[in-house]
Amino acid sequence: MVQAMNKYISTFITIVAGMLFSMSAMAYDGARLWLPAASDANGATVKLEAKGAAAAIAAQELRDSWSGNGTVVLRVKRDKALGEDGYRIIPSGDNLTVTANSGTGLLYGAYHLLRMQSMGKPVDSVITEVPAFDLRVLNHWDNLDGTIERGYAGKSLWKWEELPGKVSPRYKEYARANASVGINGVVLNNVNASSRILSREYIEKVRVLADIFRPYGIKVYLSANFAAPMQLDSLPTADPLDKDVAKWWKKKCDEIYAAIPDFGGFLVKANSEGQPGPCDFGRTHAEGANMMARALRPHGGKVMWRAFVYSPVDADRAKQAYMEFQPLDGKFDDNVIVQIKNGPVDFQPREPFSPLFGAMPSTPQMAELQVTQEYLGHANHVAFLAPMWEEFFGWVKPESLKAIAGVANIGDDENWTGHPLAQANWYAFGRLAWNPALTSGEIVREWLPAGVYGSHDVPADIKSGIEDMMLMSREAVVDYMMPLGLHHLFAFGHHYGPEPWCNPEGARPDWLPSYYHRADSAGIGFDRSPSGSNAIAQYPEPYRSLYASSSTCPDNLLLWFHHLPWDYKMKSGATLWDELCRHYERGCVAVSDMQKSWMKAKPYIAPELYRDVEERLATQARDAIWWKDGCLLYFGEISGMPLPDDVTAPVHTLEQLRAVDLGISNYESPSTSLLNSKR
Ligand code: BDP
């Protein structure tokens, strides 16, 4: 009896231990991102035929995590076709050889192998990869006090008060994550830059980060305040043509490069939203940029000069950057790259491309994409952004660009990005910066196994449900926030919820929704056609003609370019009003479909991850209704038209929604309480 009991107990212990073991194997660790955890279990044989820190990391990554049977040889070998960062992977039986011109190339090759492994794909033919852009850079909008402008994942990763003495282990993890997706440049601080980052004290701190990032092939850049000579050293002017100013920047660059020999250069936001710039001294953007470029030139540094400007040279904000920058074509030194936001206004859920792209053939240009979801639901909404960027690369050919930048969505939250699925946007940015020909589908299928499924064996129908959820998520946001080309209907300040009625006294008109939607009894939309602001004249053919007439303009940009009557007949045959209502409805339905796909996948997802996303999806669903009700009730009052029968009746009143006052840091959906009180 006792024996039987003991056997029972030991079997029980074995089962519990087994359960605990498999639970821990399955546990979700958001901090790991899409990367394998180091384990000694595989013991892959790696032969390193290359010197240097990056190559050594490549070898260690494979030793830790590669589960192939044969030997992997990592070899630096001259091969012109591969450039600085490219690599070739050559299988031969069980063995593999990775070749590259540099250790960094080998590192990228090693991460390629680990990516294949996490997707369960065999390496059975030669793989050759060369990045489309030499410069693939993340822009952090991190302030020196630890806050992040438009950051929704905690505080800044950079602990300036601790540096240079204390070094967080996350700096290295961050560098590893970036290298694993091909990112090779990092601007550490906000474009609304404090001059202090250029002080001797901070250069010492930056040096420590640069030293940690270097083995991962990552260069450090800084956002520079144009008035730094005045602010740091009390020069009487920052005029770029003043000899002492130019001398100051030269000296500053010498100082930076003495500490950081491979420093990348400066990112500059000048004469934009109150930032100082050359125009304050009667000089042009080119004169300002060139002065800084000449200080960097002897060291091989670059200036990324932003074209995000909108001084009222024209009544249409969408035209202003082009008007200021296009005439400067050919006037920039060749180590200046003009950095242009993807759209002509400001990172809206959908914008046409900025017409500046391609309009300055003698000036190097780079695209600035926003990875952080300033205008797409912050860290509360699922919005997989690869489809947006794919759309952009459909308009702007990667060959016409010199480099690519993404405004980071990373903070010191344990899972780095707040929303666990927003990790996919960091990943997607890196992958597209490497290869803009990748489709959103390919990227999401790469990311999901490591990012979401972990060790689970997931049935095909569940996988396709989650893939669809990700792939449709950005369009869902467009539908429930601002479909048909509407833009900037956001509440003043936080850019989270809807406030198409917003009209605070004394505010800049071009910061107000009514400036953009122009809804009146006659209709809705911004007339940018030849009869309106004629912004379409800035576009090349075939877009100019396509956008000029409402009959040819694609529906999804219609109200960006045209002001149309509420009963305008759409291509579908419906009235504009009915179609608008149906888009809002469609967005809400899409979020509820996303919730269903997530629920179905529950058995295959680690419980912590499941719950976290489930909760955020519930918030997103409530927010979608908030958006739909807010916009349709408001526009309905103006149009005087009723909701079509197939659109769900509002659950809020306009009065309730007008009363919602989201403090700048309060991102909670008001619909939470409103909806709850209805139930
Ligand atoms: C806007 C942001 C603002 C940034 C600005 C910029 O609201 O916080 O400083 O862009 O890109 O989207 O400079």
Side-chain angles (χ1 to χ4, degrees):
M1 175 68 188
V2 172
Q3 245 180 7
M5 194 65 185
N6 280 347
K7 192 167 168 224
Y8 174 77
I9 289 171
S10 86
T11 311
F12 178 70
I13 289 172
T14 314
I15 292 171
V16 171
M19 276 169 59
L20 284 176
F21 176 77
S22 68
M23 271 168 69
S24 76
M26 277 163 40
Y28 174 69
D29 177 4
R32 248 171 54 192
L33 295 163
W34 47 85
L35 292 157
S39 86
D40 295 326
N42 305 297
T45 312
V46 179
K47 236 175 105 195
L48 182 58
E49 298 179 7
K51 291 199 180 70
I57 297 171
Q60 197 53 46
E61 288 284 16
L62 294 176
R63 285 189 188 113
D64 286 342
S65 310
W66 178 245
S67 58
N69 288 326
T71 300
V72 185
V73 179
L74 298 176
R75 180 179 297 147
V76 164
K77 184 177 155 224
R78 203 66 222 114
D79 185 342
K80 255 181 120 181
L82 296 180
E84 180 64 17
D85 290 342
Y87 54 87
R88 213 187 293 283
I89 302 174
I90 306 151
S92 155
D94 275 352
N95 302 328
L96 291 168
T97 306
V98 184
T99 64
N101 285 316
S102 65
T104 316
L106 294 179
L107 185 58
Y108 293 138
Y111 288 124
H112 191 124
L113 288 175
L114 297 181
R115 197 157 52 232
M116 303 279 285
Q117 179 169 290
S118 92
M119 286 190 289
K121 284 201 172 167
V123 184
D124 48 15
S125 57
V126 175
I127 296 166
T128 305
E129 285 273 335
V130 181
F133 305 109
D134 290 342
L135 184 54
R136 308 171 292 277
V137 53
L138 268 186
N139 291 184
H140 286 262
W141 285 359
D142 294 22
N143 298 312
L144 303 189
D145 65 2
T147 57
I148 306 180
E149 182 151 343
R150 313 305 177 185
Y152 314 105
K155 299 275 238 166
S156 173
L157 276 176
W158 327 127
K159 304 300 168 201
W160 294 114
E161 69 290 352
E162 297 176 1
L163 286 164
K166 192 168 162 207
V167 173
S168 157
R170 296 196 83 181
Y171 301 152
K172 191 166 148 186
E173 291 162 23
Y174 164 84
R176 178 180 180 229
N178 272 344
S180 78
V181 294
I183 289 165
N184 69 351
V186 177
V187 182
L188 293 174
N189 60 317
N190 193 355
V191 286
N192 298 318
S194 160
S195 292
R196 279 181 73 204
I197 194 80
L198 300 178
S199 66
R200 185 171 293 274
E201 181 196 354
Y202 272 80
I203 292 170
E204 255 319 284
K205 297 170 191 271
V206 172
R207 182 183 61 78
V208 173
L209 294 176
D211 287 346
I212 297 170
F213 299 167
R214 187 170 299 112
Y216 289 89
I218 296 167
K219 279 189 186 175
V220 159
Y221 297 75
L222 294 175
S223 291
N225 186 308
F226 199 78
M230 299 168 77
Q231 293 174 7
L232 284 182
D233 285 317
S234 307
L235 261 63
T237 177
D239 179 350
L241 300 194
D242 181 283
K243 270 212 219 91
D244 290 335
V245 171
K247 231 200 247 158
W248 187 92
W249 283 104
K250 272 194 185 311
K251 244 182 92 192
K252 187 49 72 183
C253 288
D254 293 345
E255 185 187 340
I256 295 174
Y257 279 89
I260 309 163
D262 57 352
F263 177 67
F266 297 129
L267 172 64
V268 188
K269 171 175 178 176
N271 295 115
S272 163
E273 298 185 332
Q275 292 300 310
C279 310
D280 300 339
F281 308 96
R283 313 298 181 194
T284 67
H285 283 278
E287 285 168 322
N290 293 345
M291 181 275 295
M292 289 171 91
R294 285 164 202 169
L296 288 161
R297 172 173 293 286
H299 309 282
K302 290 188 171 58
V303 174
M304 296 173 284
W305 191 270
R306 296 177 88 226
F308 178 64
V309 295
Y310 51 103
S311 37
V313 285
D314 186 275
D316 181 359
R317 173 168 162 189
K319 290 168 68 180
Q320 294 162 1
Y322 181 103
M323 293 174 76
E324 230 177 301
F325 271 78
Q326 200 285 329
L328 298 174
D329 184 30
K331 302 226 157 64
F332 291 93
D333 283 9
D334 62 4
N335 59 332
V336 178
I337 313 181
V338 174
Q339 180 166 317
I340 308 164
K341 288 189 183 184
N342 57 298
V345 170
D346 190 10
F347 295 141
Q348 297 300 293
R350 171 167 279 118
E351 293 194 31
F353 66 99
S354 162
L356 252 185
F357 288 110
M360 303 176 72
S362 309
T363 306
Q365 296 188 328
M366 64 192 286
E368 179 180 311
L369 309 174
Q370 196 179 42
V371 190
T372 190
Q373 291 168 231
E374 174 180 356
Y375 294 103
L376 288 105
H378 298 185
N380 285 347
H381 296 194
V382 183
F384 180 52
L385 300 176
M388 175 151 88
W389 303 331
E390 196 180 339
E391 187 171 280
F392 171 74
F393 285 121
W395 287 316
V396 174
K397 295 294 151 229
E399 309 79 74
S400 69
L401 301 172
K402 195 79 196 146
I404 183 126
V407 180
N409 62 346
I410 304 158
D412 71 355
D413 273 6
E414 200 181 323
N415 74 4
W416 305 85
T417 55
H419 199 307
L421 303 186
Q423 293 183 355
N425 288 333
W426 180 5
Y427 182 92
F429 170 74
R431 296 292 290 130
L432 282 171
W434 181 279
N435 179 7
L438 287 171
T439 66
S440 307
E442 285 168 324
I443 296 171
V444 83
R445 281 188 290 279
E446 275 185 13
W447 177 77
L448 280 168
V452 170
Y453 307 142
S455 54
H456 291 97
D457 201 2
V458 186
D461 62 320
I462 301 287
K463 276 190 188 162
S464 75
I466 298 293
E467 279 163 33
D468 288 350
M469 170 183 112
M470 295 294 283
L471 293 172
M472 71 194 241
S473 58
R474 179 267 185 152
E475 200 60 40
V477 176
V478 171
D479 274 335
Y480 63 69
M481 283 189 183
M482 38 201 94
L484 298 177
L486 287 175
H487 46 295
H488 230 311
L489 306 183
F490 293 96
F492 202 73
H494 52 70
H495 298 164
Y496 184 72
E499 236 179 54
W501 50 83
C502 157
N503 196 12
E505 223 172 292
R508 258 183 91 134
D510 58 1
W511 282 2
L512 295 179
S514 54
Y515 170 92
Y516 296 97
H517 63 64
R518 309 207 162 201
D520 54 22
S521 57
I524 183 169
F526 199 128
D527 186 2
R528 296 188 166 111
S529 74
S531 58
S533 79
N534 203 19
I536 58 111
Q538 294 179 341
Y539 282 87
E541 291 295 359
Y543 300 105
R544 186 184 306 171
S545 304
L546 192 73
Y547 297 152
S549 154
S550 60
S551 61
T552 51
C553 183
D555 280 359
N556 62 16
L557 292 173
L558 195 60
L559 303 179
W560 185 284
F561 288 112
H562 298 278
H563 187 272
L564 297 169
W566 296 104
D567 61 358
Y568 174 81
K569 200 159 170 219
M570 300 289 289
K571 294 184 189 81
S572 66
T575 62
L576 168 61
W577 169 250
D578 283 2
E579 188 119 336
L580 188 69
C581 296
R582 288 185 184 124
H583 273 278
Y584 278 101
E585 177 80 8
R586 198 169 83 176
C588 294
V589 172
V591 179
S592 113
D593 288 345
M594 285 155 65
Q595 287 178 293
K596 286 181 198 143
S597 302
W598 192 248
M599 257 157 72
K600 273 199 201 143
K602 186 172 184 177
Y604 309 99
I605 292 174
E608 316 82 314
L609 171 62
Y610 180 81
R611 260 194 314 276
D612 189 346
V613 173
E614 183 186 41
E615 278 168 21
R616 288 177 207 256
L617 277 169
T619 303
Q620 184 170 4
R622 286 191 294 264
D623 288 348
I625 296 172
W626 174 28
W627 270 95
K628 165 177 165 280
D629 287 359
C631 293
L632 292 185
L633 285 168
Y634 174 71
F635 292 137
E637 269 191 356
I638 300 175
S639 73
M641 292 173 94
L643 291 185
D645 292 344
D646 51 353
V647 170
T648 318
V651 296
H652 309 99
T653 65
L654 193 53
E655 235 184 336
Q656 284 172 317
L657 296 181
R658 274 178 183 271
V660 170
D661 179 16
L662 284 190
I664 232 155
S665 56
N666 175 5
Y667 300 122
E668 226 201 297
S669 160
S671 21
T672 313
S673 51
L674 289 172
L675 286 182
N676 286 346
S677 64
K678 287 220 154 235
R679 281 189 195 128

